[in-house]
Amino acid sequence: MLGVQGKHGDAYKYWNDSLVCINCASEKNNKMGIIPSRFTMALRGGSIMLSDENFHAIDRYLDKKFIVSSAESCKSIISELKSLSIEEREKVRQAQLAKFPKWESLNWKEIFS
């Protein structure tokens, strides 16, 4: 872990250069059922997402294969992803991104009524 690196907008530069982004849930996120926007930010920035198992209902958004519980499971998935072609990695990233809701697909009338 490198700690805070750069400013908020610099994150996309890091994700553009990264194979994966590993997101870990805080205790508050887990209890409140919050899934932060970091997932879609990293996916749109070019990274493939890995997540710990502590995000509420994370299996709705990421295939079980990308939900990790140890450094060893991260290393294993990263090794597998490195063996894929760039085109295959892009298919994985797009498949992950497709599972997250889009603004236009939300029922705003239901939300604000």
Side-chain angles (χ1 to χ4, degrees):
M1 298 307 233
L2 300 174
V4 176
Q5 299 290 307
K7 298 177 185 156
H8 180 77
D10 293 335
Y12 288 101
K13 177 180 70 175
Y14 300 124
W15 290 324
N16 284 335
D17 294 336
S18 299
L19 176 62
V20 300
C21 176
I22 304 169
N23 208 355
C24 300
S26 71
E27 192 173 317
K28 282 184 183 179
N29 283 359
N30 188 19
K31 286 182 180 176
M32 294 171 51
I34 294 172
I35 296 186
S37 60
R38 172 120 343 123
F39 286 94
T40 53
M41 291 170 68
L43 286 164
R44 290 186 182 281
S47 294
I48 295 170
M49 286 303 305
L50 303 182
S51 174
D52 77 16
E53 56 198 9
N54 293 315
F55 280 103
H56 175 74
I58 192 62
D59 55 343
R60 280 192 224 158
Y61 304 102
L62 293 180
D63 292 339
K64 197 172 197 162
K65 165 185 189 166
F66 299 105
I67 300 171
V68 296
S69 59
S70 67
E72 291 76 27
S73 61
C74 289
K75 287 179 189 178
S76 174
I77 293 168
I78 291 169
S79 292
E80 184 180 331
L81 290 170
K82 282 182 175 181
S83 73
L84 300 176
S85 68
I86 292 173
E87 293 81 11
E88 291 168 321
R89 290 182 205 162
E90 179 60 11
K91 285 180 185 177
V92 170
R93 188 185 71 82
Q94 288 292 336
Q96 285 187 333
L97 185 58
K99 288 191 171 191
F100 286 85
K102 312 294 183 281
W103 286 107
E104 62 270 8
S105 68
L106 298 175
N107 185 344
W108 292 106
K109 287 182 181 179
E110 185 179 305
I111 292 170
F112 290 113
S113 59

